Amino acid sequence: MGDNRRSASRPSEIELSNLPEVAALATELTLIFNSLEMSRQHFAIRSNYDKSYVSRFLNGRRVATPDFIDRLLKEVECHRKVPVTAQTRARLHGMRAEALRVYDPDLYELERIRGEAQKSEREVKRLLLHQEALEGLLERRQAEVNEMRMELTQSQSDWIADRIHIEAEMLILQGENQRNRDERADLLDEISRLRQELKDTIRQKEMAEERCAQLEKRAIVVEIEVAEKRERDNIDDIGLPVEFVQARLRDAGDVEMHRELAEFSLSRASADVAKLAIWLEGCDMGDHASQLVTDYCRQHPISASVDLVREVEEVSSADHSSRARTLLLGCVEKSVSRRPIEDLFGFLEGYLTFSSEGAATRVDAFLAGVASRWLRRWSHYPDRSNRFFDIVDFLDAQGQRQASVKLIEEQVGYTGSVTKFGQIIAESNREADIRVFASRWLKRIKSVKHGDLYRLARQMKKMSDFSNPLMFELVLQDIFSVYDPLHIAKIYVYSLDDSRDQTTFTKRLIRVIVQNGLAEEVHGYLLANFGMPFDGGAPRNASEAN
């Protein structure tokens, strides 16, 4: 940006060099540079910097970028054949931060907040992965306990049957029985520990998510303040062609890049933002493209996000940049998910005004994706899950039933679990929506391996307690078209509670087994594999049941 456009509140290059913090940084960098015993022109060519930039950094007329400092230290390491210490590197970057603080406090604060936000996001991702790992391990350990309980029952049965005939065998079985008890006790202890660790991890994740949300809100406030100050100080490059900005960004360091993109997102129209974002993605600078789109959506009304989506689709379609389109539209989805539901409705309605002639499948998928991402942030905003049917009704009212169907289907848990939204749908009186969710959930059940029948039985137990039994009955009937009698027998065993008593799910399962004429086969498998009769002597065919 030219000197004639520089804010009166920010120092000129000559005034900048007189700032003690800037002068101290320039002096330190000059001493280090002189140790290289090369000219500034030589260093500029070697490091791919403009000579004028090198001179400004060393004379203190501009605050050196982090990239320049790291490049200078790398040359020192090559020249001395000795690595630069971490203390020296940290000291230089600290001096650079102090210089930036006195030169441009707004940009310094924005960089600091973004750094903290990125650190919080990384912590959330780490804790989420740890939570998922603990949940998986906990489920496996619980299944092992159930398997161990069945082995214990089998050992006890064998011990009683052979006690009279073979004394030696009896002693062996006693030992196995005790071993099983000890192993089961160890597994129960481990499960208890894992549950506590899972609880602690979830609490840490929630704290990290809350911190991340606070930083996001603070970043928005700072961005608005910076934008207002830039507008008061008449800092504006809106007249520059996008191609000129692209040329300037090619040689920019990270700090300059962030500053340029922040100003661009505040002052430019959606068409320019879309064009520059597509260009950044094509130059393998996807992170900067995402930041540009996210900043633009945060700082402007929801109608601007709609305009940006239209421009991105037009530019990416002309350039055949499907990968860039997917990435940038995902950023818009993420930004919309942070807004209130009124903005969500405004975005969806605005998108429909220009997408009516597009591919119906793509429109349905995008609408459902935006709404689904908004709902998935219910852990940040607990009341959002209660607005689920408001969104479905809105899409239906817009004539987008296929989009609302996709939205319902997307609420099925990735592993086939009955999610919070599944319970909301199941306990509603909306039969059409219940059938849509149940149909998608049944498809998910079919992808579950037979060895994970314990998970299936656990989820069915949850369904059996819902106030509206329609979803449970639909799934229960379909089980018999998916699994053979042996697996039905295993599901029957897993449906019992820890004391082998029947649950609500068990009683309904018995009824359907008899109705389907499978009682005899299930009875045989239970005796052969688990040493227990079907329903403790219940009738084994339909005629006896009557």
Side-chain angles (χ1 to χ4, degrees):
M1 188 174 294
D3 291 339
N4 58 333
R5 296 193 178 193
R6 187 178 301 276
S7 168
S9 64
R10 293 168 58 186
S12 66
E13 289 188 349
I14 296 177
E15 294 170 339
L16 178 64
S17 63
N18 293 329
L19 295 175
E21 292 83 356
V22 178
L25 175 64
T27 300
E28 187 70 19
L29 294 178
T30 301
L31 290 175
I32 296 174
F33 177 82
N34 291 339
S35 68
L36 295 177
E37 299 178 353
M38 66 171 65
S39 67
R40 295 182 180 182
Q41 182 65 52
H42 184 185
F43 178 82
I45 294 175
R46 183 183 182 89
S47 59
N48 201 25
Y49 274 92
D50 188 271
K51 179 184 176 183
S52 62
Y53 271 74
V54 176
S55 297
R56 286 187 178 96
F57 292 156
L58 296 179
N59 294 338
R61 283 182 290 147
R62 291 195 67 173
V63 177
T65 64
D67 292 339
F68 177 81
I69 294 175
D70 291 336
R71 179 64 183 181
L72 180 60
L73 294 179
K74 182 178 179 181
E75 289 296 328
V76 170
E77 289 177 334
C78 294
H79 180 71
R80 297 180 178 176
K81 300 297 188 290
V82 176
V84 175
T85 64
Q87 293 83 354
T88 300
R89 191 179 301 274
R91 181 172 59 81
L92 285 176
H93 282 284
M95 294 176 67
R96 186 255 171 197
E98 283 299 309
L100 182 62
R101 183 179 61 80
V102 299
Y103 165 59
D104 193 341
D106 295 330
L107 184 57
Y108 168 82
E109 180 66 10
L110 186 56
E111 284 185 11
R112 185 186 67 79
I113 292 175
R114 280 179 173 166
E116 291 184 10
Q118 291 173 356
K119 184 184 299 182
S120 293
E121 287 182 353
R122 288 194 298 271
E123 181 66 11
V124 168
K125 291 180 181 178
R126 184 188 69 79
L127 290 172
L128 182 58
L129 291 174
H130 189 45
Q131 174 188 344
E132 292 174 350
L134 286 174
E135 288 176 341
L137 182 58
L138 181 60
E139 289 178 0
R140 289 195 297 272
R141 290 295 183 266
Q142 187 64 58
E144 289 177 10
V145 166
N146 289 319
E147 191 71 21
M148 193 66 65
R149 184 172 60 242
M150 288 186 290
E151 289 182 8
L152 178 59
T153 300
Q154 184 67 40
S155 296
Q156 290 173 337
S157 177
D158 293 341
W159 179 73
I160 293 173
D162 297 337
R163 181 177 56 187
I164 300 175
H165 303 289
I166 307 174
E167 188 68 19
E169 240 183 77
M170 182 185 67
L171 295 175
I172 294 174
L173 290 174
Q174 282 180 328
E176 291 180 354
N177 185 33
Q178 185 60 44
R179 176 181 58 80
N180 287 332
R181 288 180 181 274
D182 293 341
E183 290 182 2
R184 181 172 181 271
D186 292 341
L187 284 173
L188 289 174
D189 290 341
E190 184 177 3
I191 287 174
S192 178
R193 180 183 60 79
L194 288 174
R195 283 177 175 163
Q196 183 59 45
E197 186 175 352
L198 175 60
K199 185 184 299 183
D200 294 341
T201 299
I202 292 175
R203 184 173 63 254
Q204 293 175 18
K205 185 197 71 174
E206 291 174 348
M207 293 173 61
E209 288 175 340
E210 181 179 358
R211 173 62 176 164
C212 184
Q214 292 174 352
L215 288 172
E216 287 176 354
K217 293 179 182 179
R218 177 57 184 161
I220 293 175
V221 172
V222 173
E223 288 167 351
I224 294 174
E225 292 175 352
V226 172
E228 292 175 348
K229 183 173 182 180
R230 293 286 199 266
E231 186 174 353
R232 289 196 305 269
D233 295 341
N234 196 26
I235 300 176
D236 186 14
D237 65 350
I238 195 169
L240 297 178
V242 176
E243 290 74 14
F244 181 86
V245 178
Q246 292 172 352
R248 191 163 59 189
L249 292 178
R250 285 191 180 95
D251 300 324
D254 284 343
V255 175
E256 294 172 302
M257 177 76 75
H258 284 299
R259 182 170 62 246
E260 291 281 358
L261 295 181
E263 293 177 356
F264 196 92
S265 67
L266 284 168
S267 60
R268 292 303 188 105
S270 58
D272 290 345
V273 173
K275 185 175 181 180
L276 183 60
I278 294 291
W279 177 80
L280 288 169
E281 174 60 27
C283 296
D284 292 329
M285 291 188 284
D287 290 344
H288 293 299
S290 301
Q291 188 63 50
L292 174 63
V293 171
T294 301
D295 288 346
Y296 180 82
C297 293
R298 284 177 176 175
Q299 298 158 0
H300 295 81
I302 196 65
S303 58
S305 297
V306 176
D307 294 337
L308 180 61
V309 170
R310 182 178 64 250
E311 297 293 345
V312 167
E313 290 196 339
E314 290 180 359
V315 174
S316 61
S317 175
D319 295 343
H320 306 287
S321 307
S322 59
R323 177 175 175 270
R325 174 185 178 277
T326 300
L327 174 67
L328 299 180
L329 293 187
C331 296
V332 175
E333 287 184 20
K334 182 178 179 181
S335 298
V336 173
S337 71
R338 293 183 170 89
R339 293 179 178 260
I341 193 169
E342 292 76 18
D343 285 350
L344 172 66
F345 289 159
F347 179 84
L348 297 177
E349 188 173 7
Y351 178 78
L352 287 171
T353 60
F354 70 85
S355 63
S356 57
E357 298 180 358
T361 301
R362 190 180 71 181
V363 172
D364 295 341
F366 183 71
L367 292 174
V370 173
S372 180
R373 184 185 284 269
W374 190 91
L375 286 168
R376 284 200 300 271
R377 289 186 66 84
W378 68 269
S379 60
H380 292 283
Y381 312 100
D383 61 324
R384 286 197 172 189
S385 58
N386 299 326
R387 307 304 300 271
F388 174 72
F389 283 120
D390 293 339
I391 300 175
V392 173
D393 292 340
F394 175 83
L395 291 174
D396 288 345
Q398 298 293 322
Q400 299 296 320
R401 179 56 184 172
Q402 288 304 313
S404 62
V405 167
K406 288 182 180 294
L407 174 61
I408 295 171
E409 291 178 342
E410 287 191 16
Q411 305 318 306
V412 176
Y414 180 75
T415 60
S417 302
V418 180
T419 63
K420 181 181 182 68
F421 295 105
Q423 183 173 356
I424 292 175
I425 295 171
E427 295 184 344
S428 71
N429 293 320
R430 304 163 67 111
E431 181 174 339
D433 294 337
I434 292 174
R435 289 185 178 276
V436 169
F437 186 91
S439 175
R440 182 65 183 87
W441 197 81
L442 294 177
K443 292 178 182 178
R444 185 71 188 115
I445 285 180
K446 293 177 182 179
S447 67
V448 176
K449 296 181 180 180
H450 290 316
D452 200 15
L453 295 176
Y454 175 77
R455 175 190 291 272
L456 172 61
R458 188 185 66 178
Q459 298 302 318
M460 291 296 292
K461 285 181 183 179
K462 290 183 180 180
M463 278 191 180
S464 67
D465 293 332
F466 291 164
S467 58
N468 188 337
L470 177 58
M471 182 181 294
F472 173 77
E473 294 296 338
L474 290 173
V475 175
L476 184 61
Q477 289 296 334
D478 190 74
I479 285 178
F480 292 86
S481 64
V482 177
Y483 298 107
D484 56 35
L486 173 59
H487 295 110
I488 296 295
K490 290 184 178 180
I491 294 173
Y492 170 84
V493 173
Y494 292 141
S495 71
L496 302 172
D497 62 19
D498 291 339
S499 60
R500 288 295 181 113
D501 291 332
Q502 294 179 1
T503 63
T504 301
F505 171 39
T506 308
K507 295 174 182 177
R508 295 185 182 182
L509 180 62
I510 291 171
R511 172 173 53 81
V512 182
I513 288 174
V514 174
Q515 290 175 352
N516 283 270
L518 298 176
E520 190 69 36
E521 290 184 82
V522 172
H523 178 72
Y525 283 125
L526 287 174
L527 285 178
N529 293 276
F530 301 102
M532 60 182 296
F534 174 56
D535 194 27
R540 295 194 293 272
N541 55 58
S543 61
E544 292 181 20
N546 295 330

